[in-house]
Amino acid sequence: MSDTMNAIVITKFGGPDVLEHRMVPRPTIRTGEVLVGVKAFGLNHAEMHMRKGEWDEWNPVTGLECVGIVEACPGGEFNVGETVVGVMGGLGRNRPGGYGEFAAVPATNVIAVQTNLSWDQLAAIPETYITAWSCLFTVLALRPGEDLLIRGATSTLGQAAVKLAVNAGARVTATTRRRERFEFLRKMGAAETIIEQSGLNRIHTTEFDKVLNLIGNRVLLESLNLTKSGGRMLQAGWLGGLDPVKDFNPMLQMKSGVHFSLFHGKVLGSPGFPFSKIPLQRIVQQIENGEWDARPTHIFNYKDIRKAHEILDSGDAEGKIVVKRF
């Protein structure tokens, strides 16, 4: 095997045009890591922010996730030739990520799957559904019969959260910027659909047992106020931008008794968020059986990465963007 590989590299901070195909050193691996031959990968908003220089950590070879084949595994956690997904574990941050021909992934951040899905279909699932499951069931502790508000429900993470929550027996209220997307959300099982807008807590006076805020800091305070006392509000996305909350005064602005948490995907695979708890094989099987539609809305070839990032930047993907190597 060659000591070099083809990779998509962030050459400087800027727009999609800063992404270039280059030959770079192939990752070396040690015990506890898995060398994955990347077949496809999904795009994530964090990679856009990394490309622009707006993220806390970044690697020139970005990519928070990948799907592919095990090429080597010194510790024996996985068999060579197995189909696996790799998510986070420093990918694209403190180690080269899924935009490379190969990726060295901590074994704690790899899951083997058995599936007949194509590589591009499989690539639309891992980060989105693993994150959504962790948010709903590890952090929010969602239970059947609870009222759940999902803000930003037509994002890829939002769609996965709607499906998982409805499947778990929760009553889901979903927000979207576009009224024409209401029927789309209802078909996924949302009991109520409302327009996403600032000041939602003044317009929609219902309080919820649990709130999943994917919009971010811009609506943090009002999301807290939409949560019942004793309930939980989780912020796990920044669709509304990364600007911080200005002049935040908890004593004056926060409701008493609401539990507020933050979820960052870089904790996935850590002792508090182990992959062993995530039923990814069952999720993949449900998708393969047609119970959920998780097909990517945009599929690009590896050479067309700039076009893929143009769609990512537009905010109009309305689903997962996937890049396939072959």
Side-chain angles (χ1 to χ4, degrees):
M1 186 181 291
S2 172
D3 291 333
T4 61
M5 68 174 185
N6 187 271
I8 296 162
V9 178
I10 299 173
T11 57
K12 58 183 178 181
F13 295 139
D17 60 314
V18 307
L19 297 171
E20 295 184 5
H21 291 267
R22 292 187 177 179
M23 297 302 295
V24 301
R26 178 172 58 83
T28 57
I29 61 168
R30 53 191 176 184
T31 300
E33 296 180 336
V34 182
L35 184 66
V36 179
V38 178
K39 300 296 185 181
F41 55 87
L43 267 58
N44 300 280
H45 279 92
E47 294 150 17
M48 174 186 70
H49 293 300
M50 291 173 180
R51 194 199 70 225
K52 293 179 178 180
E54 299 171 342
W55 213 243
D56 59 340
E57 289 182 294
W58 70 283
N59 190 285
V61 180
T62 190
L64 307 184
E65 61 179 317
C66 63
V67 301
I69 298 293
V70 174
E71 297 286 340
C73 183
E77 294 91 346
F78 298 91
N79 297 319
V80 172
E82 275 193 287
T83 296
V84 294
V85 306
V87 182
M88 303 294 183
L91 285 179
R93 288 188 170 93
N94 55 33
R95 63 173 68 220
Y99 284 29
E101 184 179 356
F102 300 94
V105 191
T108 54
N109 289 76
V110 174
I111 303 178
V113 293
Q114 297 180 358
T115 180
N116 293 318
L117 294 174
S118 63
W119 289 117
D120 49 273
Q121 288 181 305
L122 182 61
I125 298 171
E127 191 275 341
T128 301
Y129 279 84
I130 288 173
T131 300
W133 194 94
S134 300
C135 288
L136 293 175
F137 304 111
T138 301
V139 183
L140 287 175
L142 186 67
R143 298 170 185 166
E146 288 189 320
D147 288 311
L148 170 70
L149 172 64
I150 300 176
R151 304 193 68 169
T154 49
S155 65
T156 54
L157 178 54
Q159 291 179 41
V162 170
K163 295 167 188 172
L164 289 171
V166 170
N167 187 68
R171 183 182 184 278
V172 176
T173 296
T175 78
T176 175
R177 294 175 300 164
R178 300 176 180 175
R179 193 172 297 276
E180 63 268 23
R181 302 291 282 171
F182 280 9
E183 185 59 27
F184 172 73
L185 291 167
R186 291 186 187 118
K187 286 181 179 179
M188 285 194 286
E192 183 181 10
T193 51
I194 53 180
I195 290 293
E196 174 57 50
Q197 56 190 299
S198 294
L200 189 62
N201 60 316
R202 296 189 299 272
I203 301 166
H204 196 279
T205 56
T206 300
E207 293 182 328
F208 298 87
D209 298 300
K210 309 287 169 64
V211 175
L212 178 59
N213 172 21
L214 304 178
I215 305 300
N217 294 337
R218 182 166 58 80
V219 299
L220 187 155
L221 295 176
E222 60 188 59
S223 295
L224 288 169
N225 287 317
L226 282 162
T227 309
K228 292 178 181 178
S229 181
R232 302 187 184 192
M233 195 283 278
L234 171 62
Q235 183 156 304
W238 286 265
L239 296 172
L242 299 174
D243 291 342
V245 179
K246 293 182 179 180
D247 303 320
F248 178 35
N249 187 330
M251 182 177 289
L252 298 178
Q253 295 171 291
M254 279 189 68
K255 180 193 297 183
S256 295
V258 172
H259 301 263
F260 168 43
S261 298
L262 176 73
F263 182 84
H264 198 305
K266 63 184 178 183
V267 303
L268 289 171
S270 68
F273 297 87
F275 276 23
S276 59
K277 288 187 175 181
I278 298 170
L280 186 64
Q281 181 64 58
R282 177 168 58 80
I283 291 169
V284 169
Q285 192 64 54
Q286 287 179 271
I287 292 168
E288 191 170 317
N289 291 343
E291 296 176 44
W292 296 330
D293 183 359
R295 290 173 295 180
T297 54
H298 300 272
I299 301 172
F300 290 90
N301 291 318
Y302 197 61
K303 64 182 177 63
D304 295 322
I305 187 63
R306 293 181 178 178
K307 293 180 181 178
H309 266 251
E310 287 172 3
I311 298 294
L312 184 66
D313 282 11
S314 74
D316 294 325
E318 298 187 342
K320 194 72 172 181
I321 304 168
V322 164
V323 174
K324 59 181 181 180
R325 286 193 51 82
F326 305 102

